[in-house]
Amino acid sequence: MEPRTGNTVDEENTNHNEDDKQKGQPQGESDNLRDATSASSAVALPTCEGTPPPLPPRPQNQPIGPSKAIKNSPASLRIPKGAERPRYHSRATTAVSLAGTEAQVHKESSKGKDPGTSSKDASRRSSLLRVGLFGGGRSADHSDNASVRSLASRAPSVGTGTGDLQSLLGHGLGEGDESAWPSSAFDDASDESSTERLQFETQLASEFVDLDDLKADGSNEESLALAWSLKLKHFIILSSAGKPIWSRHGDDQLISGTIGVIQTIISAYQASDDVLKSFSAGNARFVILSKGHLHLLAVSRLGENDTQLRSQLEALYTQILSTLTLPNMERIFQNRPSTDLRRPLQGTEKLLSALADGFTRGSPSTLLSALECLRIRKAHRAAINNTFIKVRSPSLLYGLIVAGGRLVSVLRPKKHSLHPGDLQLIFNMLFETGAVRAGGDESWIPLCLPGFNSSGYVFMYVNYLPSNTDSEESTADSTNTGDTTSSATPPEKDEIAIVLISASRDSLDSLKDMRTSLISQLTANNSLALIRTAIHTPRPSTSSILAGNPLRHFLYKSRANVQFAMPSATPEYDSVLQWRRLMSVYGELHAAVHEKATQVKVYHTSTREHVALAWVSPVFEFYGIAGPGAGRNAVAMGASRTVQWARREEERLFIIGGAVF
């Protein structure tokens, strides 16, 4: 056998390389194996000329980096195999608003966090615990996955309509649209802003002045049309046949053209099997709520979002049902779709207008879907509840004691409770319009409570108790309270109303006897005097709740009791304009923490005019407003201590359970 030569080994390596490529073996591994084989063969097999030096190692195939790819093919945009993909500053999103984009980025960033990120989040939560934001509550009040969002105003500009005030109050309008709020309406730095603020306050005050009727000759049509167009908010109700039913501003002749346009737009969507819910036009937001044969429309230039406007339309629809009941209204339209519903609803115009004006001024009860209670001691409320149960009539379904527009006591069946919307409807009827009060101290009213039963009527006996204080003292006290008793909100009455509800139309006499016994016993145990004293006691200010509290105002809602508490509005929010502005900020906070796309539990925002904080837990909701420049830690500490105060005072602030039979 002849010995192999070096050339033979080289040729064999070449053949092996070709075989390896066909078999799919990696090129680098094949070369290393061949190099080792060549070296061992050269040492073990002598040749005629002696042992040749080992073959040099073959170079490894390195992936081409980005720099080489760019150098070799400068015009190519293809990324070579194995190269790292470039990292872009932006990321794909389906969000259509800034808040939605931040929420989506927050949600995506929470997925697949590395240990370092998790440790940072834990550190951040511990720092919030140290400042007391999550302190003082039960373990159910907070969790480790609590999310925090903090926003600051972006380059505010005065007079351009794109400042922080515009972004705050212009939520829901299309990009480029301007809110009706003047951009510098609350800026005290210039005379121009003061004039603008005064003009806007005058416009808002005239919002609640009714327009004159259109004259027969039409001579005042142009002036009425101009005054109608200057209104900041409109509510219109029409039938599916296009018949006008009610509007807050303007008579039927004045708004007939507007109703025709609205009906045409709605019909065009219905023809394509679609439902029109909302749209923007100029600086106004249009929200439509279709309920059976009714279309309810809200037009707002106050920066309210769709959810808030839709809840207001729901309340107006509830007011209509309270008069007609749902089966009666459906039967009317089934028999004659073009029926004019104004005749069956005659007499309810004042109730609808009072409800709409409350929404325009700003209603915490509507925003939070909760009620405010009169603050009295636990022992005093227990004595009232016990008296209520003791004198109960067998025909009684629900009993209420209401003072100054706030709930004092509720008597209810064990497994039933009144819906907040039904209670708000009763309060509106008792205190906002004067329609019930005009009938005298006693009234017997058939009423539908849609939250309880939208198909039938209950019968409500109302008795107003005279006040022991004269009107001048009452006016002076209500002015000093700083509550929503000034021009900021509708004036609260200092009257006490006893409301007894029965399912039987023949129970009037028994309910009268119950009222007589109730008043007698409340007078004997001094409870009636305590209620009158509580009516004239001012709401506590934020500084009296907590010394040095940076918060100017807050809303605290007990979620279990569906009730809320708030401090005095004086002096910062004692005008119509400032109160409306405050409620707009609360509306923005409420929308931010209740977005379906997010799970934000703490929301902080800072603008040139204020610092705002929203805090939501399974037990409560808290919304607070502080002055400009307030530090986030100071606001968080003030919010935490205010929540602790509300938790301590729960049995004074809220009705826990009520009187149950």
Side-chain angles (χ1 to χ4, degrees):
M1 178 181 294
E2 296 181 359
R4 299 181 181 180
T5 63
N7 294 335
T8 304
V9 173
D10 208 343
E11 294 172 359
E12 187 177 352
N13 287 341
T14 303
N15 296 334
H16 279 300
N17 287 339
E18 294 175 357
D19 294 341
D20 292 338
K21 292 179 180 179
Q22 295 176 0
K23 294 178 181 180
Q25 184 176 354
Q27 182 68 26
E29 295 180 5
S30 175
D31 293 338
N32 293 338
L33 181 61
R34 299 287 78 78
D35 292 342
T37 304
S38 301
S40 60
S41 299
V43 175
L45 299 176
T47 62
C48 300
E49 301 177 358
T51 302
L55 295 174
R58 295 180 181 274
Q60 301 292 330
N61 291 332
Q62 301 291 340
I64 301 176
S67 59
K68 287 189 177 182
I70 295 175
K71 181 177 181 181
N72 295 337
S73 181
S76 176
L77 296 177
R78 298 177 60 186
I79 301 176
K81 185 178 180 181
E84 183 180 1
R85 299 185 69 86
R87 298 176 181 267
Y88 298 103
H89 291 289
S90 61
R91 58 185 68 182
T93 178
T94 58
V96 296
S97 65
L98 179 60
T101 304
E102 292 174 345
Q104 187 171 20
V105 171
H106 172 78
K107 187 174 182 180
E108 292 175 0
S109 63
S110 63
K111 298 178 180 179
K113 290 185 177 179
D114 54 64
T117 306
S118 300
S119 63
K120 290 179 181 178
D121 289 347
S123 174
R124 186 177 188 180
R125 283 194 297 270
S126 64
S127 66
L128 289 172
L129 287 170
R130 283 196 298 272
V131 301
L133 184 56
F134 297 107
R138 303 174 185 173
S139 58
D141 294 352
H142 57 272
S143 59
D144 289 340
N145 60 353
S147 56
V148 180
R149 183 192 296 177
S150 181
L151 299 177
S153 59
R154 292 174 171 80
S157 57
V158 178
T160 62
T162 58
D164 57 347
L165 188 62
Q166 159 66 18
S167 64
L168 180 64
L169 299 177
H171 180 77
L173 300 182
E175 185 176 357
D177 295 335
E178 295 183 1
S179 171
W181 293 89
S183 58
S184 58
F186 310 116
D187 188 1
D188 298 328
S190 64
D191 295 337
E192 180 182 356
S193 63
S194 300
T195 303
E196 196 172 344
R197 178 164 66 282
L198 181 60
Q199 292 175 351
F200 191 78
E201 187 169 6
T202 303
Q203 185 178 3
L204 188 61
S206 64
E207 184 76 10
F208 312 108
V209 178
D210 293 335
L211 298 178
D212 297 332
D213 293 334
L214 185 64
K215 295 181 179 180
D217 58 359
S219 58
N220 62 340
E221 182 177 2
E222 185 175 351
S223 59
L224 288 179
L226 177 61
W228 187 87
S229 64
L230 292 177
K231 297 293 184 180
L232 298 174
K233 196 168 184 178
H234 294 274
F235 290 100
I236 299 175
I237 302 177
L238 64 152
S239 67
S240 56
K243 294 281 187 178
I245 296 175
W246 171 83
S247 70
R248 176 58 190 95
H249 302 294
D251 57 14
D252 298 342
Q253 296 179 351
L254 184 63
I255 64 172
S256 59
T258 302
I259 289 180
V261 173
I262 295 170
Q263 177 63 23
T264 301
I265 296 174
I266 295 175
S267 300
Y269 275 80
Q270 290 177 341
S272 58
D273 295 331
D274 199 356
V275 178
L276 178 61
K277 294 183 177 180
S278 61
F279 62 93
S280 296
N283 60 357
R285 186 65 177 172
F286 293 72
V287 174
I288 298 172
L289 177 66
S290 297
K291 289 282 190 178
H293 296 275
L294 298 185
H295 298 308
L296 298 92
L297 171 69
V299 184
S300 175
R301 292 190 291 150
L302 296 177
E304 297 163 292
N305 61 29
D306 292 2
T307 302
Q308 297 165 22
L309 293 174
R310 191 164 285 111
S311 66
Q312 296 170 16
L313 294 177
E314 289 278 3
L316 293 174
Y317 179 70
T318 299
Q319 183 68 63
I320 292 177
L321 290 185
S322 70
T323 304
L324 296 179
T325 75
L326 183 60
N328 286 343
M329 187 170 63
E330 290 180 346
R331 185 167 53 252
I332 290 173
F333 282 110
Q334 286 175 358
N335 295 333
R336 188 179 177 185
S338 60
T339 298
D340 188 352
L341 206 62
R342 289 175 293 183
R343 180 173 297 178
L345 290 176
Q346 189 173 7
T348 63
E349 296 86 353
K350 290 184 177 181
L351 297 175
L352 292 170
S353 296
L355 203 58
D357 288 348
F359 300 150
T360 303
R361 291 187 181 95
S363 171
S365 180
T366 305
L367 177 66
L368 301 177
S369 297
L371 293 171
E372 186 182 15
C373 298
L374 186 68
R375 186 188 180 196
I376 57 177
R377 292 181 178 272
K378 174 185 176 181
H380 297 163
R381 199 184 304 274
I384 297 171
N385 291 342
N386 293 335
T387 304
F388 222 163
I389 294 176
K390 188 183 302 183
V391 300
R392 182 181 70 87
S393 169
S395 61
L396 182 74
L397 182 62
Y398 292 104
L400 307 172
I401 299 178
V402 188
R406 288 170 283 178
L407 198 59
V408 178
S409 179
V410 178
L411 180 61
R412 63 179 180 85
K414 186 175 183 180
K415 295 184 179 180
H416 297 278
S417 59
L418 278 172
H419 192 275
D422 292 341
L423 287 171
Q424 185 181 15
L425 186 150
I426 294 174
F427 284 14
N428 178 63
M429 183 180 297
L430 296 181
F431 297 103
E432 300 297 337
T433 63
V436 177
R437 191 68 178 91
D441 292 340
E442 293 181 303
S443 298
W444 179 246
I445 306 169
L447 181 70
C448 173
L449 300 177
F452 172 71
N453 180 15
S454 62
S455 301
Y457 288 102
V458 295
F459 299 89
M460 182 172 70
Y461 171 75
V462 181
N463 178 225
Y464 290 95
L465 304 184
S467 174
N468 286 343
T469 58
D470 56 30
S471 58
E472 293 182 1
E473 279 184 289
S474 174
T475 304
D477 289 342
S478 63
T479 304
N480 294 331
T481 60
D483 308 336
T484 56
T485 58
S486 61
S487 58
T489 56
E492 292 176 351
K493 306 298 182 181
D494 61 353
E495 295 174 312
I496 302 172
I498 296 177
V499 182
L500 306 177
I501 301 173
S502 174
S504 173
R505 67 173 66 243
D506 301 323
S507 59
L508 176 59
D509 292 337
S510 63
L511 295 183
K512 277 189 173 183
D513 294 339
M514 177 182 171
R515 180 262 305 172
T516 303
S517 300
L518 178 62
I519 295 176
S520 175
Q521 295 199 25
L522 289 178
T523 304
N525 60 20
N526 203 37
S527 295
L528 208 56
L530 292 172
I531 293 174
R532 289 192 174 101
T533 302
I535 295 175
H536 301 295
T537 300
R539 290 185 178 91
S541 63
T542 55
S543 59
S544 65
I545 294 173
L546 174 63
N549 195 343
L551 298 177
R552 292 179 173 178
H553 199 271
F554 68 84
L555 296 177
Y556 177 90
K557 176 184 176 181
S558 173
R559 305 185 79 169
N561 300 305
V562 201
Q563 299 163 33
F564 77 95
M566 64 180 179
S568 168
T570 300
E572 288 84 4
Y573 308 105
D574 56 354
S575 69
V576 175
L577 179 63
Q578 295 297 339
W579 179 258
R580 177 62 254 182
R581 175 203 179 193
L582 176 68
M583 292 309 303
S584 295
V585 177
Y586 281 145
E588 187 74 13
L589 294 176
H590 187 271
V593 295
H594 288 88
E595 288 177 343
K596 293 183 179 180
T598 63
Q599 295 180 353
V600 176
K601 295 184 179 180
V602 178
Y603 180 88
H604 171 270
T605 180
S606 176
T607 72
R608 183 178 58 240
E609 301 301 327
H610 63 261
V611 175
L613 176 72
W615 179 11
V616 176
S617 81
V619 178
F620 63 85
E621 295 180 15
F622 179 85
Y623 308 91
I625 307 292
R632 182 165 60 178
N633 287 344
V635 174
M637 180 67 73
S640 178
R641 296 182 66 179
T642 303
V643 168
Q644 293 175 22
W645 168 84
R647 299 292 297 276
R648 288 194 307 267
E649 298 286 323
E650 260 190 346
E651 294 182 333
R652 292 188 179 189
L653 296 172
F654 308 126
I655 297 175
I656 311 296
V660 180
F661 61 91

